[in-house]
Amino acid sequence: MERNWHKLERSFYLRDDVLAIARELVGKLLVTEFQGVISTGRIIETEAYNGIIDKASHAYGGKRTPRTSTMYMEGGHGYVYLCYGIHHLFNIVTNIKDIPHAILIRAIEPVDGLELMQFRTSKKITDHSLGSGPGNVSKALGIETLHDGINLCGDTLYIAEDGYNTEGIHIIASPRIGVDYAGVDALLPYRFFIRDHPRVSAKKTTRKFLCS
DNA sequence: CGACCGATCGTCT
DNA sequence: GACGATCGGTCGA
């Protein structure tokens, strides 16, 4: 089928600079295609997790468990885990095999399949909460833990580039959300989002940061 | 506004 | 047995 976007290739994910990739992902499309049913969202907000030296990362200190083993896969795979027993958080694994870099997708703006997203999220009307926050991203796009380890160079779940022009948009770097346990690493500016975008998550914390 | 709380369960200790 | 890379709601000032 012909589309007005093209899927990102493996080489995009294999690079070493997880911060650069996290920033570049802002403005790209996150696409899910389940049995021919498509929904897509524009990535508004991301967070980078910088491998074994990052106290906020599940892979800190080289920790390798059945859950975190996905993070050690080659770049261009999905890392999906259950948070608080409720939310399926979607990450993009980057870098080469055995270097556990990951990027959490924290917010999307619906582009295609809005009605489907409303159905998935049980929302009668679309307000700005749809796709805002990492749990809501997965809910809107139908991503679940069964997609953990999925190949992002396949046809089910992937990132795409369309004609979206990022030159005019202002991307802010801020500390990450909900990682206070990481001590000094919680202060690192590893979160990237479009300034003033209504779907940016953690609005209260974000506002405080912007006014500081 | 801000503080707090309940939901809910896989994962690791 | 404790605890989340969350969310949406309530309650009181």
Side-chain angles (χ1 to χ4, degrees):
Chain A
M1 191 189 290
E2 205 68 29
R3 309 212 201 288
N4 61 347
W5 67 64
H6 67 88
K7 194 184 306 178
L8 297 188
E9 295 175 5
R10 180 77 62 197
S11 57
F12 177 87
Y13 305 103
L14 291 179
R15 292 174 293 155
D16 184 57
D17 191 343
V18 68
L19 297 179
I21 301 172
R23 181 183 283 267
E24 288 170 34
L25 282 170
V26 174
K28 299 282 194 294
L29 291 178
L30 175 53
V31 183
T32 61
E33 185 170 346
F34 304 129
Q35 294 161 346
V37 180
I38 294 181
S39 47
T40 77
R42 175 104 36 221
I43 296 173
I44 303 303
E45 178 183 350
T46 65
E47 271 179 6
Y49 286 83
N50 191 25
I52 65 174
I53 61 168
D54 183 353
K55 290 192 174 70
S57 172
H58 292 162
Y60 174 62
K63 186 163 132 177
R64 193 165 187 157
T65 65
R67 180 179 67 151
T68 65
S69 66
T70 306
M71 301 181 79
Y72 293 80
M73 294 176 80
E74 181 180 54
H77 288 82
Y79 169 47
V80 187
Y81 72 96
L82 189 63
C83 186
Y84 291 96
I86 302 173
H87 307 291
H88 303 252
L89 304 204
F90 172 68
N91 297 251
I92 292 167
V93 174
T94 67
N95 216 315
I96 58 175
K97 185 177 181 307
D98 291 329
I99 299 188
H101 288 180
I103 297 164
L104 174 68
I105 306 301
R106 291 194 56 90
I108 56 120
E109 172 181 78
V111 175
D112 300 300
L114 178 60
E115 285 190 16
L116 179 56
M117 296 190 210
Q118 288 172 325
F119 173 75
R120 285 172 177 149
T121 56
S122 309
K123 286 189 184 299
K124 301 176 183 83
I125 55 161
T126 305
D127 59 9
H128 291 318
S129 71
L130 195 159
S132 178
N136 288 334
V137 167
S138 297
K139 199 168 186 191
L141 292 173
I143 299 170
E144 302 178 50
T145 50
L146 65 90
H147 301 112
D148 184 44
I150 193 171
N151 182 9
L152 302 183
C153 297
D155 294 323
T156 302
L157 180 46
Y158 55 92
I159 309 296
E161 165 94 80
D162 63 355
Y164 187 74
N165 180 13
T166 56
E167 285 179 22
I169 67 170
H170 189 150
I171 298 177
I172 306 264
S174 85
R176 292 167 291 186
I177 301 298
V179 296
D180 292 345
Y181 59 85
V184 291
D185 286 357
L187 302 174
L188 296 169
Y190 284 3
R191 174 183 180 230
F192 302 95
F193 60 92
I194 298 177
R195 184 173 71 179
D196 296 333
H197 196 287
R199 285 184 148 84
V200 170
S201 70
K203 297 216 166 20
K204 203 162 94 176
T205 309
T206 304
R207 194 158 33 241
K208 272 186 194 165
F209 170 76
L210 290 173
C211 293
S212 63

